[in-house]
Amino acid sequence: MRAKLVLEDGRVFEGEAFGGELTAPICGEVVFNTGMTGYQEVLTDPSYAGQMVVMTYPLIGNYGIRAADSESVRPHVRAFIVSDPCDTPSHWASEGGLADYLAENGIVALAGIDTRALTKHLRTKGTLRGAIGLLGVDAQDLADAAEAWQPGNLVAEVTTPEAYSVGGAGPHVVVVDFGAKRNIIRSLVALGCRVTVVPADTDAETVLALAPDGVILSNGPGDPELLTQARACVKTLLGSGVPLFGICLGHQLMALALGGRTSKMKFGHHGVNHPVQELKTGRAYVTTQNHEYAVTDLDPDVAEITHKNLNDGTVEGLKVLRRPAFSVQFHPEACPGPGDTADLFREFVAQLPVAAR
Amino acid sequence: MPVRSDLKTVMVIGSGPVVIGQAAEFDYAGTQACVALREEGLRVVLINSNPDTIMTDGEMADRVYLEPLTVESAEAVIARERPQGLVATLGGQVGLNLAVALADAGVLERYGVEVLGTRLAGIRKAEDRELFKATMQQIGEPVPESRIVHVMAEAEEFAAAIGLPLIIRPAYTLGGSGGGIAGTPEELREIVRRGLRMSPIGQVLVERSLYGWKEIEYEVMRDAGDRCISVCNMENLDPVGVHTGDSIVVAPSQTLNDRDYQRLRAAAFHIVRAIGVQGGCNVQLALDPASDRYFVIEVNPRVSRSSALASKATGYPIAKVAAKIAVGLGLDEIRNPVTGTTTAFFEPTLDYCVMKIPRWPFDKFASADRRLGTQMKATGEVMAIDRTFEGALQKAVRSLDIGLDGLAAPEALPDPELDHAVAHADDRRLLYLAEALRRGRTVDELARRTGIDPWFVRKISNIVEAEAEILTGRLDLSRAKRLGFSDARLGALPGAGEAAIRRMRSRTGVRPSYKMVDTCAAEFEATTPYFYSAYGGENEAAPDPRPCVVVLGSGPIRIGQGIEFDYGSVHAVWALRRAGLRAVIINNNPETVSTDFSTADRLYFEPLTFEDVMNVIEVEQPVGVLCQFGGQTAVNLAVPLHGAGVQVLGTSPEGMDRAEDRGLFEAVLEDLHISRPAGGAASSLEEAEVIAARVDFPVLVRPSYVLGGRAMEICYDADDLRAYVQGAARVTPEHPLLVDQYVPGREVEVDAVSDGGSVLIPGILEHVERAGVHSGDSIAVYPPHSLSAGVRAQIAKQTLDLARALGIVGLLNIQFVVDGGSVHVLELNPRSSRTVPFMTKVTGVPMVAAAVRAVLRESLEAQGYHCPDGICLPPDPPFVACKMPVFSWAKLHDVDTALGPEMKSTGEVMGIGPTYAEALKKGFQACGLAVGAGATALVALADRDKAEGVLVARALARAGMRLAATPGTAESLAEAGLSADALTPEQALEAVRAGEVQLFVNTLTRGRQRDRDGFRLRRAATELGVPVLTSLDTAAALALALAAEGGPSAGSPWALQDYEVSMRSGAGRS
């Protein structure tokens, strides 16, 4: 079925719809991801809630889909936009094809798009909202719909509805789930932690009542400045002296709780090749990233910037002064992407109170 | 860290001659490295024996030594230049081995030279099988069960324990030389014996075969601060079992999920850190197609063919960055040349698919074993880029320049043979696969039989299915183009013709757009002027109003068209840019300097076919196209481009045609009263016999429809002629056979620049071997040492007359044969030639630049070349230089090493010295033929050569060699008073196998008829690394060189800058 993506600025990209049925136009924020592998992890990353993801690598679907590679229970992207999808995957572990998976989960996808041209457009204009409709739908109507679209409370859409626990007998780590990727939890469990995952709107008192040895503020979708309750929660947790580790959205919330700000980037960072330098050592890492906002205006008397992006100099990590708390903008849990910074989980767990270990 | 302040002078070791397994990629790497080091303010001293490279140009390094890559000559250079550091990882295996040898000989310590970049201890960890295995086991990276073997019994013991098949890999050899897969005890013994012999340290690895596993490569960079990135990963379409240099390779990997990709990437980092790499490193891994298991196959702690491919596939300049790392810079300090603002610490991401297909020499070597295994056989490779896999694959196939416009069936094989051919990899397997799919074999069945992942077979099947749709007229044109179908292929399938398809496309607006290779999938703004075509998208190659000229490159390296033609293309680009024009290059060889995106104003990575070139021309709207620098590939496009209204600059296509068409050329010669060997064209055996009778035997025969000496032979009598016609060639009126008188004189070669009125002849080259040996396989000497002034004048005059008559503007190459006082023209090539880089270096005349200026209508006089009577021929220099061919015999089984009119060499070295003998000596040293005194020469001569052969044998004996000979030859030697051990052919074979022979001089018993004993002996010697000389002229030259005064490193090393200065003063400039 021929369909089209219309951006809020009126630019039109025609393609072939596949995956979920396109019954009515759908809207979302259009972002591009530059990873060459890991499409399934991207689809199921809750941080992509509300976003239509364009894959810059043209051949997508080559190795199929398998349940174990999902980063959450279901795909969260609003739509999936590719150039040349593969309907005959080949991999020993594949349990099915991309198109079927998208169809089963009702995710609309477009194929045959010049994703490079679309990416260049987004790079030039900055992230834009877009609407996908069938070819016959009026382009102006779609552009208007895109422009009118508002994301809503994305974190509420993706967080766990209720708390649950997994893992072993080691330190107790509470993960505040703003849209956590599974590999955060898997990484902690692999280090022997007992992990309690709590909903995003859990207040600090409730978290502290769980007697955590440490707390992780997870990744998640959307604008951090809208999450006023979470910011207050983080502030209280910081004051409590419990060790904190923030990832992506969790990092942004930490900065906000410290009096810093976040600003929307032109087109964000979405990929698995983002270079980050650790300032103290000069060491550099290739990281997975997925964010549209960056931390700014940190008070150096409150927090130290520990990592910077080697491409654009944006803040990639901070350490709170006089508190056992740090956070990173990138994703040490990877999935997809390189595990170069996976040691951060180890470092976090290692600094938890000895008695707990 | 900034560049180390203790470094002032850095020495770079090049890779020497092009051989199979080590080609133009090291010119690209070396050139980048020299530029990168000089950017940091360092004085660069380069040693490389290969004159055909850009890196050995005088402008590339402060001191360029075109000297043998031996410990002796490298030491002499070090003693003279006193570098503080040495970069060993940019000159391929040769460079690495020489650095290790220099360290072992104590030279580095003696002169206080530090090995920069990856330390020698690290290099040893990667290169020495035993150390490598131990290192991997230490860090817990899995390696296949194996055993290091120094004697046969150890190999047999291991085989008994593990079972066959086993892979045998000799230590420290190029391109897997001497290795193989042994399926039987006999094969095991044969391959192990060969491997032990070929390994410089007498060591081979025998290991469990991972045949059929996925072969995955990572190109990793690491700096001294332990910062690590993966530039690119690549997946071999051919599974483990076919050497990666002989495999079709795709980038990035296609069938790996993210877990696979990251697990192998992490393993690569783990390994690179354990070895202590500082620079670039290639890591090869085998991945089980049915589980998570993987094994480490091998590691190359240096830039390589794969790193050149990865650089071109991604835009990331690995060699340049490696050189900067070597002198102390961190990846985070090196500027990213693509964005200009960020650092080299980033991982490229692709938004296209890259395909590499090897180019094999089997079109030249009809008798060679075409099967592919662990020993590399390809001479070169092509690369193609597209937004679809199918498109990239079909473009790569077209780029091979072997007459394929798509996946056409190679021959009509019956089903059972086709099934067999599919399962046994050779160079045609891709075509057989397509044919098998056409005949209804299923994807799964073929995947099972070949070990090729079903994903790849499915993609080939997509192409085959689309063909069927085209045949029934159901496929729309734009989809066909997205799948990479050429106009020619589309025209051939329904019988419409290429031109009709082109018109249809033009009418319907189905044109390619050009996309940029920018390392970042469009995430950041980039200005890389590097493009590929894709159908169905936005064009990024914005029109540029500055006038431009398109330079056609020469495609893949192959026998007869090597790196010398890339040299011409690169210099043409530079000359155009100096003239203020925008230079656009089209080429498809990922190994070369011409396809470095910083060489031209724009690079189009495209096949060199009429269609693909025209598409670029339509976008660029050039003032003209240069077809004379890209070898025959480019020349062949002159006429069709001209026919399409494109301005071919310089020599007109009509003039080119007159030079190349035999009949037209003869008429020109006749008009000018220039002689050529008598002969004619025959359309049957009878006609050939008539001509042969007229001109008298021996005759030189060749088919008329191939160029470059392919399938050319000398027939000594009617039997030979009959055998040739019946065996080799289809002789028809459309494809006649050319039969020429064979003139057994001195071959002489001239490269000249013509401005249409005058010619600049920088020098005349005289060949050592008499006519009959292909000029590319001959030793050539400058200045000529046996030509009279009268003959030289005749040659110069004929060059001028021919250039004028054909309207040559630009370069021309003429081959002459001089018989006594008479000069005959053999052929004229209206283009750059194999010898242009060599002549440029030894004469100091920038020939390509002069040619381009002439093409741009600047006369030679205006350029400063004084041409009295239309000829500028500078005086001889105060030195002698020779150019020697280098062969890749060890890689090609079943190929006869006897030299003849068919070219067989893959590369060249040069030697330079104050005298003829000393120049020869250096040349022989550089190509590894300098056998020491006390060595034994085995001599086996044909009856007709015995008188002359005795003289040569005497010279060898005088040079200190011991003689052995086959019985008849021994008798002749004895009659002449020379003592030689008489050996029967069987004894001779045993002596060769036992390592008792260091040189084999053998002339062929008869012209065509291959004498079995001689052939077996030649092959046995070759396989064991014993030099074989089949021309008495070469042997005489060797004897002369060995007898030259002084020790092995007689004479101080000469830098190009030294002789350039002396040449410039006498280069005939007004």
Short mmCIF file of all heavy atoms in Angstrom, two decimals, chain B residues 1015-1033:
data_model
loop_
_atom_site.label_atom_id
_atom_site.label_comp_id
_atom_site.label_asym_id
_atom_site.label_seq_id
_atom_site.Cartn_x
_atom_site.Cartn_y
_atom_site.Cartn_z
N PHE B 1015 58.96 -28.53 -17.43
CA PHE B 1015 57.84 -27.88 -16.75
C PHE B 1015 57.80 -28.30 -15.27
O PHE B 1015 57.65 -27.47 -14.39
CB PHE B 1015 56.52 -28.23 -17.45
CG PHE B 1015 55.32 -27.64 -16.76
CD1 PHE B 1015 55.07 -26.27 -16.79
CD2 PHE B 1015 54.42 -28.45 -16.07
CE1 PHE B 1015 53.97 -25.73 -16.16
CE2 PHE B 1015 53.32 -27.92 -15.44
CZ PHE B 1015 53.09 -26.55 -15.49
N ARG B 1016 57.96 -29.61 -15.06
CA ARG B 1016 57.90 -30.10 -13.68
C ARG B 1016 59.03 -29.50 -12.84
O ARG B 1016 58.83 -29.10 -11.69
CB ARG B 1016 57.99 -31.63 -13.66
CG ARG B 1016 56.63 -32.28 -13.77
CD ARG B 1016 56.76 -33.76 -13.98
NE ARG B 1016 57.43 -34.44 -12.89
CZ ARG B 1016 58.21 -35.53 -13.04
NH1 ARG B 1016 58.41 -36.02 -14.25
NH2 ARG B 1016 58.75 -36.10 -12.01
N LEU B 1017 60.19 -29.45 -13.45
CA LEU B 1017 61.33 -28.87 -12.72
C LEU B 1017 61.12 -27.40 -12.43
O LEU B 1017 61.40 -26.92 -11.34
CB LEU B 1017 62.60 -29.04 -13.55
CG LEU B 1017 63.47 -30.26 -13.25
CD1 LEU B 1017 64.61 -30.35 -14.26
CD2 LEU B 1017 64.03 -30.18 -11.83
N ARG B 1018 60.59 -26.68 -13.42
CA ARG B 1018 60.37 -25.24 -13.23
C ARG B 1018 59.35 -25.02 -12.11
O ARG B 1018 59.52 -24.18 -11.26
CB ARG B 1018 59.87 -24.59 -14.53
CG ARG B 1018 60.93 -24.43 -15.59
CD ARG B 1018 60.50 -23.48 -16.70
NE ARG B 1018 59.39 -23.97 -17.51
CZ ARG B 1018 59.51 -24.82 -18.52
NH1 ARG B 1018 60.70 -25.30 -18.86
NH2 ARG B 1018 58.46 -25.20 -19.21
N ARG B 1019 58.28 -25.82 -12.15
CA ARG B 1019 57.26 -25.64 -11.12
C ARG B 1019 57.79 -26.02 -9.74
O ARG B 1019 57.56 -25.32 -8.76
CB ARG B 1019 56.02 -26.49 -11.42
CG ARG B 1019 54.93 -25.88 -12.26
CD ARG B 1019 54.55 -24.45 -12.00
NE ARG B 1019 54.29 -24.05 -10.63
CZ ARG B 1019 53.88 -22.83 -10.29
NH1 ARG B 1019 53.69 -21.91 -11.21
NH2 ARG B 1019 53.67 -22.52 -9.04
N ALA B 1020 58.52 -27.13 -9.70
CA ALA B 1020 59.05 -27.57 -8.40
C ALA B 1020 59.96 -26.49 -7.82
O ALA B 1020 59.86 -26.13 -6.65
CB ALA B 1020 59.81 -28.88 -8.56
N ALA B 1021 60.83 -25.96 -8.68
CA ALA B 1021 61.74 -24.92 -8.22
C ALA B 1021 60.96 -23.71 -7.74
O ALA B 1021 61.20 -23.18 -6.65
CB ALA B 1021 62.69 -24.53 -9.36
N THR B 1022 59.98 -23.30 -8.52
CA THR B 1022 59.20 -22.12 -8.18
C THR B 1022 58.48 -22.31 -6.85
O THR B 1022 58.46 -21.43 -6.00
CB THR B 1022 58.17 -21.85 -9.29
OG1 THR B 1022 58.88 -21.61 -10.48
CG2 THR B 1022 57.32 -20.64 -8.95
N GLU B 1023 57.86 -23.48 -6.71
CA GLU B 1023 57.10 -23.70 -5.49
C GLU B 1023 57.99 -23.69 -4.26
O GLU B 1023 57.55 -23.37 -3.16
CB GLU B 1023 56.33 -25.01 -5.59
CG GLU B 1023 54.83 -24.75 -5.66
CD GLU B 1023 54.18 -25.34 -6.88
OE1 GLU B 1023 54.06 -26.55 -6.93
OE2 GLU B 1023 53.81 -24.58 -7.80
N LEU B 1024 59.26 -24.01 -4.45
CA LEU B 1024 60.18 -24.00 -3.32
C LEU B 1024 60.95 -22.69 -3.24
O LEU B 1024 61.91 -22.57 -2.48
CB LEU B 1024 61.12 -25.20 -3.42
CG LEU B 1024 60.37 -26.52 -3.26
CD1 LEU B 1024 61.19 -27.68 -3.76
CD2 LEU B 1024 59.97 -26.74 -1.81
N GLY B 1025 60.56 -21.76 -4.04
CA GLY B 1025 61.17 -20.44 -3.95
C GLY B 1025 62.53 -20.32 -4.63
O GLY B 1025 63.28 -19.39 -4.35
N VAL B 1026 62.85 -21.26 -5.51
CA VAL B 1026 64.12 -21.18 -6.24
C VAL B 1026 63.88 -20.37 -7.52
O VAL B 1026 62.99 -20.70 -8.29
CB VAL B 1026 64.64 -22.59 -6.60
CG1 VAL B 1026 65.91 -22.50 -7.44
CG2 VAL B 1026 64.87 -23.40 -5.34
N PRO B 1027 64.65 -19.31 -7.75
CA PRO B 1027 64.44 -18.51 -8.96
C PRO B 1027 64.66 -19.35 -10.22
O PRO B 1027 65.61 -20.14 -10.29
CB PRO B 1027 65.48 -17.41 -8.86
CG PRO B 1027 65.99 -17.43 -7.47
CD PRO B 1027 65.73 -18.80 -6.92
N VAL B 1028 63.79 -19.15 -11.19
CA VAL B 1028 63.90 -19.83 -12.48
C VAL B 1028 64.09 -18.78 -13.55
O VAL B 1028 63.29 -17.85 -13.64
CB VAL B 1028 62.62 -20.64 -12.77
CG1 VAL B 1028 62.74 -21.33 -14.14
CG2 VAL B 1028 62.36 -21.66 -11.68
N LEU B 1029 65.15 -18.92 -14.33
CA LEU B 1029 65.36 -17.99 -15.44
C LEU B 1029 65.22 -18.77 -16.74
O LEU B 1029 65.92 -19.75 -16.95
CB LEU B 1029 66.75 -17.34 -15.35
CG LEU B 1029 67.06 -16.62 -14.02
CD1 LEU B 1029 68.46 -16.00 -14.07
CD2 LEU B 1029 66.01 -15.56 -13.72
N THR B 1030 64.31 -18.32 -17.60
CA THR B 1030 64.12 -19.06 -18.85
C THR B 1030 64.69 -18.29 -20.05
O THR B 1030 64.53 -18.71 -21.17
CB THR B 1030 62.64 -19.36 -19.10
OG1 THR B 1030 61.93 -18.12 -19.16
CG2 THR B 1030 62.08 -20.24 -18.01
N SER B 1031 65.28 -17.15 -19.77
CA SER B 1031 65.93 -16.43 -20.87
C SER B 1031 67.42 -16.35 -20.55
O SER B 1031 67.81 -15.96 -19.45
CB SER B 1031 65.32 -15.03 -21.00
OG SER B 1031 66.20 -14.23 -21.78
N LEU B 1032 68.22 -16.69 -21.52
CA LEU B 1032 69.67 -16.63 -21.31
C LEU B 1032 70.13 -15.19 -21.10
O LEU B 1032 71.12 -14.94 -20.42
CB LEU B 1032 70.41 -17.25 -22.49
CG LEU B 1032 70.32 -18.78 -22.57
CD1 LEU B 1032 70.98 -19.27 -23.86
CD2 LEU B 1032 70.96 -19.42 -21.35
N ASP B 1033 69.36 -14.26 -21.65
CA ASP B 1033 69.73 -12.85 -21.47
C ASP B 1033 69.64 -12.47 -19.99
O ASP B 1033 70.49 -11.75 -19.47
CB ASP B 1033 68.80 -11.95 -22.28
CG ASP B 1033 68.93 -12.23 -23.77
OD1 ASP B 1033 70.06 -12.45 -24.23
OD2 ASP B 1033 67.89 -12.25 -24.46
#
